[in-house]
Amino acid sequence: MTAAPTPPRSVTVRAPAKVNLELRVGALRPDGYHDLATVFQAVSLYDEVSVARWDEWQVVPGGTYADRVPTGTGNLAIRAAKLISEQWDIDDVLSIHIDKDIPVAGGMAGGSADAAAALLACDHLWGLGLERDELAELAAELGSDVPFPLAGGNAMGSGRGEQLAPVLARGTFHWVFAISDTGLSTPEVYRELDRLRSADGGDARDPAHSADVSSELMAALRRGDAQALGKALHNDLDEAAFSLRPELRVLRDAGVEFGALGGLVSGSGPTVAFLTESHEASLDLSVSLAASDLCRDIRRARGPVHGAHVVSGSRPD
């Protein structure tokens, strides 16, 4: 007779940040939302989330951005753990340690990565054996950006961004991320986009504001052509972010002048993402941006990378 496996005492999951290679925002809908069409790429900046049984719910932050991690019940990782425990009637209370290396409130889905990691970690801790599509359904309940860190790689998102389809791509792309001092509110950026579209007699509800991904960007990914991808990068939220934070336009333009193949605001910002030709070019751009004193921090990464995955699961002695 084979003994049942001993459940792990704790589980650690690593999940990646994302960059939107393209973000197209449709017309303002009657419900106040917009249809989106976006292409995500997972990049090699990671958070590690560890879950362990405890006597009270808690979030313990660590890592580069520990001081900016919310520790209350609104933290997405706690919400993810409670969602999966409620769905499967599990009474455990957890301590959640977040080793934070993805910039906080930077438009790189750091909180969403934590939620995705927590879902996968709880699945392994409790031995639920959930399929990825089941985890993705739970992820979509938590937020439109949460399903992608589970999947990783390259993917096209539609709806609110939570409906994912894999995207064919070749090669590795090299990125430089310029991190700003203060965040931008996502709802505020969308409101500013609607205001700009409604200016001068326009209408934010005009169906001409389509949410369709460009064929040029998809072709560049299929070929692994960094030059063509740099030219195809696009974010409909750029102008709204620049209107709210004009210094971000200065930063974007400086990065391109310093040799980036292309630059855009990542998601709703305020991080500005720059695509470079090579690893060496990303080093050169980082040095130039640091010397310009236009941003608080600079991070380099490559993409695409795999989605959330278990890196350790300790068991009782």
Side-chain angles (χ1 to χ4, degrees), residues 32-306:
Y33 290 93
H34 304 76
D35 287 323
L36 302 178
T38 188
V39 178
F40 297 110
Q41 183 169 103
V43 296
S44 60
L45 296 176
Y46 300 97
D47 283 356
E48 287 192 357
V49 175
S50 302
V51 299
R53 294 174 179 86
W54 204 246
D55 54 8
E56 63 180 359
W57 287 101
Q58 67 173 10
V59 172
V60 181
T64 307
Y65 301 104
D67 61 335
R68 302 191 66 191
V69 175
T71 57
T73 55
N75 183 289
L76 269 177
I78 277 193
R79 289 175 53 198
K82 288 186 174 182
L83 174 64
I84 198 169
S85 69
E86 290 164 4
Q87 292 271 2
W88 275 266
D89 295 322
I90 295 169
D91 294 330
D92 285 352
V93 173
L94 301 180
S95 174
I96 303 174
H97 182 275
I98 300 175
D99 191 345
K100 193 72 180 168
D101 199 43
I102 300 174
V104 176
M108 301 184 72
S112 297
D114 297 343
L119 288 173
L120 184 58
C122 289
D123 174 45
H124 280 256
L125 181 74
W126 294 324
L128 300 175
L130 300 178
E131 300 292 338
R132 283 288 172 135
D133 59 349
E134 294 177 282
L135 289 169
E137 288 181 15
L138 291 169
E141 292 185 38
L142 294 163
S144 56
D145 277 348
V146 180
F148 178 69
L150 280 170
N154 299 285
M156 183 164 58
S158 57
R160 292 179 292 112
E162 83 287 1
Q163 300 169 24
L164 299 178
V167 169
L168 294 175
R170 296 178 58 190
T172 297
F173 299 94
H174 300 275
W175 294 91
V176 174
F177 296 98
I179 315 299
S180 295
D181 282 319
T182 55
L184 272 173
S185 160
T186 297
E188 183 181 11
V189 174
Y190 277 93
R191 285 194 296 269
E192 182 65 6
L193 173 68
D194 293 334
R195 187 191 71 79
L196 292 172
R197 285 177 169 179
S198 298
D200 300 322
D203 188 349
R205 296 165 294 183
D206 188 339
H209 300 304
S210 63
D212 299 304
V213 170
S214 71
S215 58
E216 291 82 4
L217 183 131
M218 301 297 276
L221 283 172
R222 287 194 299 270
R223 297 195 306 269
D225 186 337
Q227 291 274 355
L229 183 61
K231 293 177 182 177
L233 296 175
H234 178 85
N235 185 353
D236 277 352
L237 296 178
D238 273 359
E239 290 303 318
F242 295 157
S243 176
L244 294 169
R245 295 273 301 279
E247 68 272 19
L248 295 179
R249 186 192 300 274
V250 175
L251 174 58
R252 192 276 311 271
D253 292 349
V256 173
E257 184 178 337
F258 293 150
L261 300 178
L264 78 173
V265 173
S266 182
S268 59
T271 297
V272 179
F274 298 102
L275 181 64
T276 65
E277 182 70 45
S278 63
H279 173 72
E280 292 74 16
S282 71
L283 288 170
D284 291 342
L285 179 59
S286 297
V287 171
S288 297
L289 287 171
S292 74
D293 202 29
L294 291 172
C295 54
R296 173 177 58 85
D297 193 13
I298 298 162
R299 306 296 301 277
R300 291 181 294 107
R302 57 182 171 78
V305 297
H306 294 299

